[in-house]
Amino acid sequence: MSFDIDWHTNFYGISWAYEKDRLVVSTVFEDKKEAILIAKEVEDWSDKFTRLTIIEKDDDEFAICCYEDPQISKSSTHVGLFRTGMRQSGGYEQAKPMIEEKSPLLQIAYAADVRDMKTYEQISRLVPMRKCRIISEKELKKQEYFYEKTASLQN
């Protein structure tokens, strides 16, 4: 059995929302077929073994890494979401205290035009993240962040 994760990096970015007293992290895709494919995988993730890691970089950027632990997953395919190069000085600064307070929910979204919120469409259910961590880029050296390091090296 392979513990490799197929990292999907082809999403536009993150949209922050607030629903059911929790922050929602929406990964916004511009390709509807890809969004639907990933949503099907993500919706099958076990709520107990999901991970969301935000990696803060020294240059006002951050990366997001989200996956189901492949060592525990019952799925034969392992999908993860990874995106880097997003600015901390945007919506992330307002979202960070909420993330630290309570693990957010994940959602896959599609936008026909990412500049127009009216074109955004919810594709997946709200998926709870069991473990949510905010780390510095230096912490990727630790063994506990093996998958995050793998994703960042591949992308």
Side-chain angles (χ1 to χ4, degrees), residues 131-147:
K131 201 180 244 188
C132 181
R133 306 166 292 192
I134 298 174
I135 65 169
S136 71
E137 194 170 21
K138 292 178 216 112
E139 291 179 81
L140 289 176
K141 295 175 186 160
K142 295 180 181 177
Q143 182 61 32
E144 68 182 291
Y145 301 116
F146 171 80
Y147 293 108

Side-chain angles (χ1 to χ4, degrees), residues 37-147:
L37 179 92
I38 292 169
K40 287 178 184 175
E41 291 288 332
V42 168
E43 287 179 347
D44 289 338
W45 284 359
S46 166
D47 294 355
K48 292 180 183 174
F49 305 114
T50 54
R51 309 281 187 263
L52 174 68
T53 307
I54 295 173
I55 305 157
E56 293 180 336
K57 300 184 175 195
D58 293 333
D59 57 359
D60 187 44
E61 289 188 354
F62 74 98
I64 190 163
C65 186
C66 189
Y67 61 97
E68 178 186 40
D69 189 331
Q71 298 178 57
I72 302 165
S73 172
K74 292 179 172 76
S75 175
S76 60
T77 59
H78 306 293
V79 171
L81 299 167
F82 183 83
R83 175 105 165 48
T84 192
M86 295 176 286
R87 308 300 282 157
Q88 287 183 37
S89 57
Y92 174 70
E93 287 179 335
Q94 288 77 36
K96 183 177 177 177
M98 290 181 265
I99 294 167
E100 292 172 328
E101 183 181 314
K102 192 173 192 178
S103 287
L105 301 165
L106 174 73
Q107 180 178 67
I108 307 299
Y110 160 74
D113 180 357
V114 293
R115 296 164 293 175
D116 184 358
M117 287 300 288
K118 293 178 192 146
T119 69
Y120 279 54
E121 183 182 332
Q122 178 180 325
I123 302 294
S124 74
R125 71 174 173 93
L126 296 174
V127 179
M129 295 288 104
R130 175 62 171 231
K131 201 180 244 188
C132 181
R133 306 166 292 192
I134 298 174
I135 65 169
S136 71
E137 194 170 21
K138 292 178 216 112
E139 291 179 81
L140 289 176
K141 295 175 186 160
K142 295 180 181 177
Q143 182 61 32
E144 68 182 291
Y145 301 116
F146 171 80
Y147 293 108

